[in-house]
Amino acid sequence: MSKKTIKITLTILILAILGFGAWHYFKPKEEQPQYITETVTRGNLENTVLATGTLDATKLVSVGSQASGQVKKMYVELGDEVKKGQLIAQIDSETQQNTFKNTAANIRNLEAQRLQQEANLNEKRLDFNRQKVMLAQDATPRATFEAAEASYKTAQAQVKAVDAQIEQAKLSESTAKTNLGYTRIIAPMDGTIVAIVTEEGQTVNANQSTPTIVKLAQLQNMTIKAQVSEADIMKVEKGQKVYFTTLGDSTKRYATLRQIEPAPESISSDSSTSTSSSSSSTAIYYNALFDVPNTDGKLRIDMTAQVYIVLNDANNSLLLPSAALGKETPHVKKLELTAEQKNLVAQGKASLGTVRILDAQGKAHAQQVLVGINNRVNAQVLAGVKEGDEVVIADSSDTSAAAAKSKSGRRNGPPMGM
């Protein structure tokens, strides 16, 4: 080989080496993914159904009037505490008093008539007995005896008729006395005056309908009526734990679900002509009821409550963000389940999922986990991770990384290979 050929070959080789080095130096660097992670911690978790509730008195009574007339005097004011039997209002009772007096006078008149009839009866009895003795001695005609007998029986009937009239008059007197009592509006129970519907001086007419004078409520205990959507109602059961807060107080008050009404409130107002299409376009809610004590008196009628019905909960459990759970991948490390854990899965009380765990070198490894309660924010892990593990929510190659980062608010994990 000539020197010229060798020189050309060496030159080409050197240029090739320099070109490869330049390409290697200036080529785009492969970026390692950045991980957004959360730490597996211990804590309490609950799965709840959220509902909006309205507070009402456990017992609310509309105290009405069965008598017509003008309200002459009101003895209570709004907010007063009253006892059972306490006088609330007085209706003009002149008409009722006159009726009662008339019935009493009628009874006295009938009783006087009865005395007169008794005297007549006694006279007819004596005459009948005399005629009876004389007839036995053939000292009087039978016709005279029979007339005395008829007069005696007539006198007996007249006494019985007056007795019936007296009994009827006493019933009228009792009715008149009851109607007179209706003019005194009495508290039917202990409670608080929460509304005064009829003012002093106003005339009420009880002939058409019973007019309400005041509304009386027992506020020592309150009933909360929580509206549960039809999407959640099948999860809710009597006896479940429930708690709520009000707009003016964030303190949680706990209770137990007492009742779930079988039909929505709309059933009472639905007309028979309503169509299925119109009902399907309206959200359906069912009322769940529970009672709470109100010893401090802070809870009031018609307050709005934010209600949480606890479906299930777990205390001091391993928790990780629900966003860390993903679908199973081909390289996931399988979890060996115990018989008890398999039973939980079969009963629908647990499910299998996959998380990515960062190792000490910052590399992510897929791991199968057994998940218990999952409220879509955090999930209870029954097996597959341990406290302190860093689980991946998203990485820089994930289109949801930004969203996950905003939800997490936590630090980034180390990049791979560092």
Side-chain angles (χ1 to χ4, degrees):
M1 182 179 292
S2 65
K3 291 182 178 181
K4 185 177 180 180
T5 302
I6 295 173
K7 186 176 181 181
I8 292 173
T9 302
L10 290 174
T11 300
I12 293 173
L13 182 61
I14 292 170
L15 290 174
I17 293 172
L18 291 175
F20 177 77
W23 173 82
H24 188 271
Y25 181 80
F26 290 105
K27 76 173 181 177
K29 299 294 189 295
E30 182 180 352
E31 294 183 1
Q32 301 294 344
Q34 298 288 320
Y35 293 113
I36 300 173
T37 66
E38 283 276 6
T39 304
V40 176
T41 60
R42 284 197 174 273
N44 302 331
L45 182 66
E46 60 184 22
N47 189 19
T48 61
V49 166
L50 184 63
T52 300
T54 303
L55 276 72
D56 200 356
T58 300
K59 192 171 184 180
L60 177 65
V61 175
S62 294
V63 183
S65 170
Q66 292 179 267
S68 299
Q70 186 184 56
V71 179
K72 301 294 287 185
K73 180 68 175 176
M74 289 292 297
Y75 294 95
V76 295
E77 295 181 355
L78 193 63
D80 283 355
E81 297 285 339
V82 298
K83 296 294 183 181
K84 182 178 180 180
Q86 182 175 333
L87 183 63
I88 292 177
Q90 176 68 56
I91 294 177
D92 184 10
S93 60
E94 184 175 356
T95 300
Q96 289 80 3
Q97 285 179 350
N98 290 339
T99 302
F100 177 70
K101 290 177 181 178
N102 284 335
T103 57
N106 187 38
I107 290 174
R108 290 194 298 271
N109 180 44
L110 290 171
E111 287 176 343
Q113 292 181 31
R114 190 181 192 284
L115 291 175
Q116 182 180 2
Q117 293 298 333
E118 282 183 345
N120 182 55
L121 174 64
N122 187 50
E123 181 183 349
K124 299 300 182 183
R125 182 188 302 112
L126 292 174
D127 184 46
F128 169 70
N129 289 334
R130 185 168 54 251
Q131 292 296 328
K132 185 177 181 180
V133 172
M134 291 175 66
L135 180 64
Q137 297 174 356
D138 292 328
T140 185
R142 174 168 289 279
T144 303
F145 166 77
E146 290 176 351
E149 182 181 23
S151 297
Y152 174 55
K153 291 181 178 179
T154 299
Q156 286 180 319
Q158 289 173 341
V159 171
K160 290 181 179 180
V162 173
D163 285 341
Q165 291 176 2
I166 291 174
E167 184 178 354
Q168 185 178 19
K170 286 183 177 180
L171 291 175
S172 298
E173 182 189 40
S174 176
T175 300
K177 185 177 181 180
T178 300
N179 290 335
L180 179 59
Y182 288 155
T183 63
R184 291 170 53 85
I185 310 303
I186 304 298
M189 64 178 187
D190 296 350
T192 304
I193 303 296
V194 296
I196 295 180
V197 181
T198 304
E199 298 293 340
E200 187 173 304
Q202 187 173 343
T203 300
V204 294
N205 183 3
N207 295 325
Q208 297 177 355
S209 61
T210 303
T212 298
I213 304 298
V214 299
K215 291 189 176 182
L216 184 62
Q218 291 182 342
L219 302 178
Q220 294 82 5
N221 292 287
M222 303 293 287
T223 294
I224 297 181
K225 186 180 292 185
Q227 293 188 322
V228 182
S229 70
E230 60 178 319
D232 294 322
I233 194 62
M234 296 186 70
K235 307 173 190 175
V236 177
E237 297 177 357
K238 175 183 176 181
Q240 288 176 331
K241 185 171 70 174
V242 59
Y243 62 89
F244 72 97
T245 60
T246 59
L247 296 179
D249 187 2
S250 59
T251 304
K252 293 180 180 179
R253 296 175 184 249
Y254 290 84
T256 301
L257 205 60
R258 169 169 60 86
Q259 179 187 2
I260 302 169
E261 294 183 352
E265 281 188 352
S266 58
I267 195 173
S268 60
S269 58
D270 281 350
S271 63
S272 58
T273 58
S274 62
T275 61
S276 59
S277 60
S278 62
S279 62
S280 63
S281 62
T282 305
I284 303 299
Y285 293 91
Y286 296 82
N287 290 325
L289 308 180
F290 60 95
D291 305 317
V292 292
N294 187 31
T295 53
D296 56 7
K298 291 184 178 180
L299 300 179
R300 298 178 182 271
I301 294 175
D302 282 346
M303 276 186 170
T304 301
Q306 192 76 8
V307 179
Y308 301 84
I309 302 173
V310 181
L311 303 180
N312 42 43
D313 57 3
N315 296 325
N316 194 30
S317 298
L318 288 177
L319 305 179
L320 53 75
S322 299
L325 295 171
K327 297 181 179 179
E328 186 172 324
T329 63
H331 305 293
V332 65
K333 183 179 179 182
K334 296 288 186 178
L335 187 64
E336 294 293 331
L337 299 180
T338 64
E340 182 180 358
Q341 291 170 342
K342 290 179 180 178
N343 189 38
L344 290 175
V345 174
Q347 294 176 357
K349 296 180 179 180
S351 61
L352 292 172
T354 302
V355 297
R356 289 183 292 169
I357 303 176
L358 289 186
D359 60 16
Q361 289 73 39
K363 294 182 178 181
H365 302 278
Q367 170 67 52
Q368 192 178 54
V369 292
L370 182 63
V371 180
I373 300 172
N374 185 354
N375 63 8
R376 307 305 176 191
V377 177
N378 291 307
Q380 174 195 21
V381 184
L382 303 176
V385 296
K386 61 182 184 298
E387 186 175 359
D389 282 349
E390 292 287 333
V391 293
V392 176
I393 299 177
D395 58 47
S396 56
S397 63
D398 191 346
T399 57
S400 63
K405 185 175 182 180
S406 64
K407 291 180 181 179
S408 169
R410 299 291 296 271
R411 65 180 179 82
N412 288 342
M416 292 183 63
M418 291 187 62

